[in-house]
Amino acid sequence: NSTDTHNKVTKTGDKKALQEIIRRYDSLINNLPGIVYRCKNNRNWDMEFISKGCKQLTGYSAEDFINGNINFTSITLQEDHEQIWNNTQKSLKLIESFNLEYRIKTKKGQLKYLWEQGEGVFDGNGKLIAIEGYITDITSQKKAEQALRANEAKTKALLEAIPDIMYIQDYDSNYLDFYVPDSKNINIPLEKIIGKNMKDILPPKLFKKVREAQEKTIKDRCLQLVEYSQSINDEIRYFEARIVPLNNHSLLTIIRDKTEAQVKEISLKTKRNALASASNGIIITDAKQTGLPIIYCNNAFEKITGYTEEEVLGRNCQFLQNDDRDQKEIGIIKNAITNAEPCNVVLRNYKKNGELFWNDVTITPIHNEVN
């Protein structure tokens, strides 16, 4: 009758609609860039359902997993087995979803990193009957993280090996980042510098000097050098700041502590001034070079001999004897030089104008740190 016919048509339509829904879900699931699965809660994670995405991710087909030819435990790295099992069981016990990261070896032996999210499926009595979830490939992200960590470790090692202070500022002189290997080189704690403006950190006179260099760096896009001294912990310390453009909105400044070098330079200048002011003629020769060339003479030497500094530098001091070389004292001097020993003799020497003068010569060897 008409009622039975209508019911049959309706049932046929419902079946077709259901089949269409199933087809759409299958198409969606099997085209996801990963794996949708349903498995048993056992050590092999035996699959009851696994989407076709497993082929691209693991190299094995869905049939391989469903038929038991392969399982996830066998392709997962041994070191990751326990953390996967323990984390999964803990979440299932608490009836919570779980997140996992682990490594597998594909059918071709390629190492891949996977991320998985899943949850337990329970019956009406609260009994666990299966696990359902989703697995995706995170190899690219993991390799990027590893590269970043490697670069960070390399940067950290380089920074620790460099004795210089380094900081980054924006174009308005606000501190964006700061690295200092030795806290004795700054007056205030590092945590109080980041975010502050340089004018609130440096003394006004120094701020003006550094700021002018920064403005020139910004304008000319080239390195600027600033030398300055600053009192730190009641000690005058000397610094050299190199300011360079880092990008279109920030500057990098590298500060080197020049205190030790500056102190040595001051000491050297003092010694040079003392030598230059001495009333006795003084010359210094380089014993490391053939011929012992003169590398320094003071004002008194120029006055006594009549020779200027330009005329004696690079020459052996024997020129002062002219042709009067038959002096036993010359042999004494040569022997002392050969044995790096001091000596004192009186020589006949001749001034630039040829005038003879008696020269009371004292030779003192100067040894370097190695010797």
Side-chain angles (χ1 to χ4, degrees):
N1 58 35
S2 60
T3 300
D4 291 338
T5 301
H6 175 74
N7 288 338
K8 288 180 180 179
V9 171
T10 300
K11 289 180 180 179
T12 301
D14 289 344
K15 184 177 181 180
K16 288 183 178 180
L18 179 59
Q19 288 175 339
E20 178 59 21
I21 291 172
I22 293 173
R23 186 195 66 78
R24 290 178 180 177
Y25 274 115
D26 284 343
S27 178
L28 175 63
I29 289 172
N30 286 312
N31 283 285
L32 285 173
I35 299 173
V36 176
Y37 71 88
R38 179 185 176 104
C39 72
K40 295 179 180 179
N41 183 38
N42 57 31
R43 286 281 185 169
N44 286 333
W45 313 108
D46 292 325
M47 292 294 169
E48 297 178 358
F49 168 82
I50 187 168
S51 62
K52 294 179 180 179
C54 64
K55 179 71 173 180
Q56 182 177 359
L57 199 153
T58 69
Y60 297 98
S61 67
E63 290 74 18
D64 287 329
F65 285 100
I66 297 298
N67 296 333
N69 298 329
I70 195 73
N71 60 67
F72 255 85
T73 296
S74 64
I75 64 173
T76 302
L77 265 62
Q78 182 70 37
E79 306 94 279
D80 295 344
H81 286 180
E82 288 306 308
Q83 67 96 0
I84 293 173
W85 178 259
N86 293 336
N87 291 345
T88 303
Q89 300 313 301
K90 180 179 177 181
S91 296
L92 292 174
K93 185 176 180 180
L94 297 173
I95 315 180
E96 296 176 347
S97 61
F98 57 84
N99 291 293
L100 305 170
E101 287 187 11
Y102 53 93
R103 298 160 295 172
I104 67 166
K105 278 289 185 69
T106 67
K107 188 174 184 178
K108 292 183 178 181
Q110 181 183 5
L111 178 68
K112 285 189 177 182
Y113 291 81
L114 305 185
W115 177 84
E116 177 179 344
Q117 179 171 304
E119 61 182 10
V121 179
F122 301 87
D123 63 16
N125 297 319
K127 181 182 178 181
L128 178 68
I129 58 175
I131 298 173
E132 293 180 348
Y134 177 72
I135 302 171
T136 188
D137 186 352
I138 59 168
T139 305
S140 297
Q141 298 94 305
K142 276 295 180 181
K143 287 184 176 179
E145 289 175 10
Q146 291 170 354
L148 179 60
R149 283 196 294 270
N151 285 333
E152 288 176 346
K154 185 187 298 182
T155 300
K156 185 173 183 287
L158 287 172
L159 287 175
E160 289 176 348
I162 296 174
D164 303 326
I165 296 172
M166 289 179 279
Y167 56 79
I168 298 172
Q169 294 170 290
D170 61 24
Y171 278 3
D172 295 322
S173 297
N174 297 305
Y175 291 99
L176 305 177
D177 200 0
F178 204 105
Y179 173 78
V180 55
D182 191 344
S183 59
K184 74 178 183 181
N185 286 333
I186 57 175
N187 276 325
I188 60 177
L190 183 59
E191 60 271 12
K192 293 186 178 180
I193 295 178
I194 303 299
K196 293 289 185 67
N197 192 280
M198 186 171 64
K199 67 182 178 181
D200 300 320
I201 302 296
L202 300 183
K205 187 175 180 180
L206 179 55
F207 166 74
K208 182 180 178 182
K209 186 175 184 179
V210 176
R211 184 57 191 164
E212 287 175 354
Q214 286 184 335
E215 290 172 349
K216 189 168 180 60
T217 300
I218 295 170
K219 179 182 177 182
D220 298 339
R221 305 294 296 171
C222 62
L223 179 147
Q224 295 296 316
L225 182 65
V226 179
E227 294 181 339
Y228 64 94
S229 61
Q230 192 174 10
S231 177
I232 298 178
N233 299 325
D234 298 323
E235 178 187 2
I236 298 297
R237 302 190 68 80
Y238 299 87
F239 298 95
E240 175 188 89
R242 294 174 177 266
I243 306 169
V244 295
L246 186 61
N247 49 45
N248 291 328
H249 52 77
S250 60
L251 301 170
L252 171 65
T253 300
I254 301 174
I255 299 178
R256 176 158 294 182
D257 188 343
K258 306 285 286 185
T259 303
E260 185 177 348
Q262 187 69 20
V263 169
K264 287 183 179 180
E265 180 64 23
I266 293 172
S267 176
L268 182 59
K269 285 182 179 179
T270 301
K271 292 176 181 178
R272 283 176 178 171
N273 290 337
L275 290 174
S277 301
S279 58
N280 294 328
I282 298 172
I283 62 171
I284 299 175
T285 63
D286 189 349
K288 295 182 295 183
Q289 295 191 49
T290 303
L292 305 175
I294 297 171
I295 58 174
Y296 171 81
C297 73
N298 68 348
N299 294 333
F301 178 87
E302 291 180 303
K303 291 178 181 179
I304 292 171
T305 66
Y307 290 99
T308 64
E309 182 181 40
E310 290 77 13
E311 290 173 318
V312 302
L313 290 183
R315 300 177 68 180
N316 185 286
C317 60
Q318 289 179 349
F319 76 90
L320 291 172
Q321 285 105 51
N322 285 345
D323 295 327
D324 190 3
R325 302 294 175 86
D326 188 17
Q327 302 182 53
K328 66 178 182 178
E329 289 81 8
I330 294 176
I332 295 172
I333 292 174
K334 288 182 178 179
N335 185 64
I337 292 173
T338 300
N339 296 303
E341 296 174 346
C343 75
N344 178 248
V345 296
V346 177
L347 282 175
R348 294 187 300 275
N349 280 169
Y350 297 86
K351 298 180 182 182
K352 183 178 179 180
N353 61 9
E355 180 184 346
L356 168 68
F357 71 97
W358 291 94
N359 190 1
D360 187 351
V361 180
T362 298
I363 296 178
T364 303
I366 301 173
H367 300 281
N368 59 26
E369 295 179 0
V370 175
N371 293 332

